């Protein structure tokens, strides 16, 4: 099922109402779903390889704790933050200042990923090697998270119960 952007994210506690959560695609909802955003975001850093290493380890620890507590929504949110660490570090490696598209996000598309008809800005011909390494660190943890048998088990159980 697609991620539901119509929910009132200022009032919904997804720990209390996991039935409202949707995995969606990629990183959808990563900066909306509470209380997990508030628990994970303070640990999320990608400015360089050292920050990425510390950040990915902290988020990995949260992912393991969520899985141990049988809290798939929290585990999936931690997975999304690992994925977002990778994508943002790559964006900053490839585009000076991290700005990928020309112009502002169109009205009604804020909070959603994608070009939305905007042109992609030119890529940096010499990517920032520290950001490339930060991306590699996050990518490794993101891949490990998706491959964890317990993550896969809980995801399948969640989707069987609440929909795919």
């Amino acid at each position: 099922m697609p991620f539901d952007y119509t929910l009132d994210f200022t009032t919904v506690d997804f720990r209390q109402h996991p039935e409202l959560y949707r995995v969606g695609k990629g990183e959808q909802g990563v900066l909306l779903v509470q209380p997990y955003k508030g628990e994970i975001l303070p640990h999320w850093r990608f400015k360089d390889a050292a920050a990425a290493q510390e950040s990915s380890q902290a988020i990995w620890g949260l992912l393991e704790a969520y899985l141990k507590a049988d809290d798939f929504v929290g585990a999936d949110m931690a997975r999304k933050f690992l994925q977002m660490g990778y994508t943002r570090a790559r964006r900053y490696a490839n585009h000076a200042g991290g700005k990928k598209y020309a112009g502002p996000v169109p009205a009604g598309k804020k909070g959603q990923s994608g070009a939305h008809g905007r042109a992609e800005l030119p890529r940096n011909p010499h990517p920032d090697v520290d950001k490339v390494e930060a991306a590699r660190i996050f990518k490794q943890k993101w891949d490990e998270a998706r491959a964890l048998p317990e993550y896969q088990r809980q995801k399948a159980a969640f989707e069987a119960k609440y929909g795919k």
Side-chain angles (χ1 to χ4, degrees):
M1 295 174 72
F3 192 82
D4 185 359
Y5 285 102
T6 66
L7 295 172
D8 181 0
F9 291 96
T10 61
T11 61
V12 175
D13 179 329
F14 286 87
R15 185 171 282 128
Q16 299 300 318
H17 295 283
E19 73 279 3
L20 297 176
Y21 181 75
R22 295 293 174 259
V23 173
K25 293 182 181 180
E27 304 159 18
Q28 288 183 322
V30 71
L31 295 176
L32 297 172
V33 176
Q34 293 286 15
Y36 306 103
K37 171 193 166 189
E39 294 168 1
I40 303 168
L41 184 61
H43 302 284
W44 184 67
R45 300 286 180 271
F46 62 93
K47 76 175 186 164
D48 56 33
Q53 186 67 40
E54 183 178 329
S55 176
S56 66
Q57 288 175 347
I59 294 169
W60 183 265
L62 291 169
L63 179 125
E64 289 181 317
Y66 293 133
L67 289 174
K68 187 175 182 182
D70 203 30
D71 183 348
F72 172 73
V73 177
D76 196 52
M77 287 293 293
R79 188 263 314 157
K80 287 181 181 193
F81 270 95
L82 293 170
Q83 180 176 359
M84 190 168 66
Y86 166 71
T87 60
R88 294 313 182 275
R90 282 303 318 179
R91 179 180 293 176
Y92 277 79
N94 292 334
H95 298 279
K99 188 171 168 126
K100 185 174 180 179
Y101 299 109
V105 176
K109 298 294 184 178
K110 293 191 185 303
Q112 299 178 29
S113 64
H116 308 296
R118 298 172 294 158
E120 184 173 335
L121 295 170
R123 288 178 178 245
N124 182 349
H126 305 288
D128 180 326
V129 295
D130 211 17
K131 291 282 191 296
V132 170
E133 178 61 11
R136 187 199 64 75
I137 291 166
F138 273 109
K139 177 74 163 79
Q140 180 180 348
K141 285 296 187 192
W142 171 35
D143 288 345
E144 288 176 26
R146 290 183 300 169
L148 278 173
E150 183 59 15
Y151 173 82
Q152 292 176 359
R153 185 195 69 73
Q154 287 189 29
K155 181 178 181 184
F158 182 87
E159 289 177 342
K161 185 173 184 179
Y162 298 120
K164 188 171 184 178

